[in-house]
Amino acid sequence: MGVISRGFGARRRESDPHLPPGQYLTEDFPVLSAGPTPAIDTADWSFTIVNEAGARTSWSWAEMMAMPIDDIGTDIHCVTRWSKLGTHWRGVSLDHFFEKVETDDAYTMVHSYGGYTTNVPLEDLLDGKAWIAFEFEGEPLDPEHGGPARLLVPHLYFWKSAKWVNGIRMHSNDDPGFWEQNGYNLYGDPWKEQRYW
């Protein structure tokens, strides 16, 4: 699997106290992917949460768009050391999806079209901390950035904000996803520089 990256200009952390340790400020939006960009039409898109009993709760694109939509202003931080401050997104809070899901499990595995996975504790997806995002800076989310929809968990390193998201499976343990199995930190707090194991 290859990693695709566009060049970007950066400034050191010393010039901006909003940057976590070891990060550089960029005005661009670098593209980093673990594989090819899948082509997903919104007519075919769906999002499914599977609880520990195997019960599946699913939403179509139209059903998601009928849910309350938030405007989100946030900074984002990539484990590859770039940060982008003051970004603007639109999306649906995970709180609304989990209203219909019964679970006692404390962990999740997020799944994407194309097979990507990442683990996130459930508490990091609730209480206004995470969204299914479909717009960036007033435009539909580009496929190269995870469109038509990606997970947005801005308080963690950006690999946790899985592109092309299509589901979540509940887990009783904090099992590692794709990058976590390949040496990335299980949690990924940028302010603690939790980059790798």
Side-chain angles (χ1 to χ4, degrees), residues 65-162:
M65 297 306 285
M67 298 168 81
I69 294 172
D70 293 338
D71 291 305
I72 308 125
T74 189
D75 303 335
I76 55 176
H77 311 289
C78 183
V79 71
T80 61
R81 300 191 181 273
W82 63 260
S83 289
K84 190 168 177 63
L85 305 183
T87 63
H88 298 92
W89 307 75
R90 295 189 82 219
V92 176
S93 171
L94 266 293
D95 294 311
H96 299 301
F97 294 98
F98 274 95
E99 286 173 358
K100 296 187 176 184
V101 176
E102 291 186 17
T103 184
D104 293 320
D105 281 353
Y107 299 99
T108 73
M109 186 66 70
V110 180
H111 292 261
S112 297
Y113 291 97
Y116 178 79
T117 58
T118 189
N119 58 301
V120 183
L122 179 59
E123 67 179 359
D124 287 280
L125 298 179
L126 302 178
D127 298 322
K129 296 177 190 169
W131 296 264
I132 302 298
F134 52 84
E135 283 186 15
F136 177 72
E137 301 298 349
E139 299 290 338
L141 191 58
D142 286 337
E144 66 183 1
H145 290 302
R150 74 179 297 156
L151 184 64
L152 178 64
V153 191
H155 66 282
L156 300 178
Y157 279 124
F158 214 46
W159 91 80
K160 295 290 186 178
S161 295

Side-chain angles (χ1 to χ4, degrees), residues 31-45:
V31 177
L32 302 163
S33 298
T37 299
I40 306 131
D41 192 289
T42 56
D44 301 320
W45 182 91

Side-chain angles (χ1 to χ4, degrees), residues 156-172:
L156 300 178
Y157 279 124
F158 214 46
W159 91 80
K160 295 290 186 178
S161 295
K163 296 179 180 181
W164 315 298
V165 68
N166 72 351
I168 291 175
R169 183 174 289 272
M170 300 308 303
H171 281 231
S172 58

Side-chain angles (χ1 to χ4, degrees), residues 169-190:
R169 183 174 289 272
M170 300 308 303
H171 281 231
S172 58
N173 299 308
D174 196 12
D175 301 315
F178 175 80
W179 283 117
E180 296 83 13
Q181 292 176 31
N182 287 282
Y184 279 42
N185 189 275
L186 275 178
Y187 186 64
D189 183 339

